[in-house]
Amino acid sequence: MNIDSPAGSPQSPLPKPARRLLLRSALTGAAAVGTALAVGASPASASPRTRPRPTTPEEALRTLAAGNARWRTFREKHPDETRAVREELVSGQHPFAVVLSCVDSRVPPELVFDQGLGDLITVRSAGEVLDEAVLGSVAYGVLELDIPLILVLGHQSCGAVRAAVESDESGERLPAHIQYLADQIAPAIDHSKQGEERIDATIDANIRRVRSRLASEPDLAARVSAGRLAVVGARYELTTQLVHRVD
């Protein structure tokens, strides 16, 4: 996996900062209440960790790259699934990366990167589309759990991107809430290409756009500038199982 260098490209920030702050506060409170109800312990989103984890963007990228290498060569370790790990995680979590990926059943992040319990915060939406819930979930991982890496993971043959491109070309509306997804992806459509090349190019353009929007969020951008966070775009190839960088 060629994703070794951290990056973030600020563009226009997403709107409604007040709503984002409210959502972030709600997520923090909900996580604490959920922990207390589930295990009968004091609310906590993190606790002293006994397992080492990557603490810098570069270390996090190298760990994901190593896991993807194991996955695509059928040498998975299926780490962090033991009884000891499960017991440790009762009192808190210390994941090292947020992976924002598509909902496609063929691209589960924990498998693609050969990671286990407590290693990743995974946020999934069709076509990696951002809305307030998705943005709040990503921000929660970074701001509350001090995660050093956000990876925006698109993939080959994305159905959401295909639907957006075909709807744009035909002018036909898509059913129910699927049209919302298409509308969000539409600005990334590469009209310089035709046919399958247009769909493929749009997949990459959409990854770049989502990455840039996240990197431009004020709270996240401040961490990028300080070297505490990287926002990286990457793509998973179904044919080879390789994850590679999309700059």
Side-chain angles (χ1 to χ4, degrees), residues 50-224:
T50 59
R51 291 177 296 138
R53 73 152 192 175
T55 57
T56 68
E58 295 81 6
E59 290 174 351
L61 283 165
R62 285 195 293 270
T63 299
L64 292 182
N68 180 242
R70 294 193 300 271
W71 165 256
R72 69 177 189 270
T73 56
F74 301 96
R75 297 178 180 177
E76 302 96 313
K77 294 182 178 179
H78 304 290
D80 299 331
E81 298 178 2
T82 65
R83 179 172 181 170
V85 168
R86 298 181 196 190
E87 291 175 350
E88 175 190 333
L89 290 172
V90 169
S91 60
Q93 58 175 326
H94 298 280
F96 67 86
V98 175
V99 180
L100 170 58
S101 66
C102 184
V103 297
D104 195 295
S105 63
R106 299 167 293 179
V107 194
E110 285 87 354
L111 296 184
V112 166
F113 293 113
D114 192 29
Q115 300 301 312
L117 296 172
D119 295 330
L120 304 178
I121 292 288
T122 56
V123 184
R124 304 183 70 172
S125 66
E128 307 86 59
V129 165
L130 293 175
D131 61 14
E132 287 295 306
V134 171
L135 180 59
S137 299
V138 171
Y140 176 79
V142 174
L143 303 177
E144 301 301 326
L145 300 178
D146 202 28
I147 289 174
L149 175 67
I150 299 171
L151 188 74
V152 179
L153 184 65
H155 66 94
Q156 178 186 14
S157 302
C158 179
V161 170
R162 177 179 293 277
V165 170
E166 292 179 350
S167 175
D168 178 72
E169 291 173 347
S170 68
E172 296 182 3
R173 300 279 299 176
L174 295 169
H177 302 291
I178 301 175
Q179 184 61 50
Y180 172 82
L181 300 173
D183 290 342
Q184 297 300 307
I185 295 170
I189 294 175
D190 188 343
H191 291 98
S192 69
K193 308 289 186 181
Q194 299 294 327
E196 292 298 317
E197 289 186 359
R198 174 175 291 179
I199 294 170
D200 200 63
T202 300
I203 290 170
D204 289 355
N206 186 59
I207 294 168
R208 295 187 187 99
R209 184 169 183 269
V210 172
R211 178 202 65 196
S212 295
R213 291 182 67 191
L214 285 172
S216 68
E217 277 297 298
D219 287 342
L220 303 182
R223 292 196 174 214
V224 172

